[in-house]
Amino acid sequence: MARGVNKVILVGNLGNDPDVKYTQGGMAITTLSVATTSVRKDRDGNPQEKTEWHRVKLFGKLGEIAGEYLKKGRQVYIEGRLEYGSYEKDGVKHYTTDIIADEMQMIGGGDGQRGGEGGGGYQSRGGGDRPQRSAPAQRREPAAAAPPASFDDVPFDDDIPF
């Protein structure tokens, strides 16, 4: 029997600086507020923007990295899972929806700038304490090579089993 899938992918901008707190055991818990904006056209053809805000939590080393390198306005890529919770305050029950991140990649330049070289990608394995750094994005100039003369000139790996 297959397990269920609980996967979230976000690309958005930070609405504020990361909030880093530590447990008594010294593990970082970082909370991010990430905005994603979608655009659609209304009945008259005018573009309508809608911004959604997401609360993202990062644990352990991944949380420490986010707290150190991310700033308000910075664009970020997040992969994780949804987690729902609730709490009671003053006799009123409140519900929460969090994204528990297991991968984070900084996009664009620092200080909220878009474009430029990408930052590094980080992901946690297992308990979230040991992120692995992916290779930093490399800036590449467009290739000046001419397109292949025919389909037979395109380099394909014919050993693929499917």
Side-chain angles (χ1 to χ4, degrees):
M1 186 121 197
R3 296 182 190 186
V5 176
N6 180 355
K7 181 99 171 170
V8 175
I9 297 175
L10 294 176
V11 176
N13 294 80
L14 267 62
N16 51 25
D17 288 340
D19 178 27
V20 183
K21 296 181 180 173
Y22 291 89
T23 65
Q24 290 180 343
M27 183 176 74
I29 301 174
T30 302
T31 303
L32 306 176
S33 181
V34 178
T36 57
T37 302
S38 60
V39 180
R40 67 171 185 83
K41 292 188 178 181
D42 63 11
R43 292 181 184 176
D44 300 326
N46 299 319
Q48 300 293 315
E49 286 190 358
K50 183 175 183 181
T51 300
E52 300 283 349
W53 289 93
H54 312 275
R55 185 168 52 194
V56 179
K57 298 211 178 211
L58 304 98
F59 294 90
K61 189 71 173 167
L62 189 62
E64 290 175 14
I65 291 167
E68 184 175 345
Y69 293 105
L70 294 178
K71 299 289 180 222
K72 178 179 178 176
R74 179 81 188 246
Q75 193 172 36
V76 66
Y77 169 91
I78 299 286
E79 269 188 46
R81 61 184 169 82
L82 282 175
E83 187 172 276
Y84 300 101
S86 64
Y87 64 94
E88 195 166 315
K89 182 177 180 180
D90 299 329
V92 178
K93 193 161 191 171
H94 298 269
Y95 296 92
T96 62
T97 302
D98 294 324
I99 296 167
I100 308 303
D102 52 31
E103 185 170 341
M104 179 271 298
Q105 184 166 348
M106 296 171 274
I107 301 175
D111 302 325
Q113 300 171 354
R114 292 185 178 190
E117 287 191 42
Y122 298 88
Q123 56 184 229
S124 63
R125 297 282 183 216
D129 290 334
R130 299 192 44 124
Q132 297 178 353
R133 181 150 175 15
S134 66
Q138 299 293 321
R139 183 175 279 186
R140 293 190 176 122
E141 297 300 322
S150 72
F151 186 74
D152 294 332
D153 293 340
V154 177
F156 287 107
D157 185 358
D158 291 334
D159 295 333
I160 297 174
F162 50 85

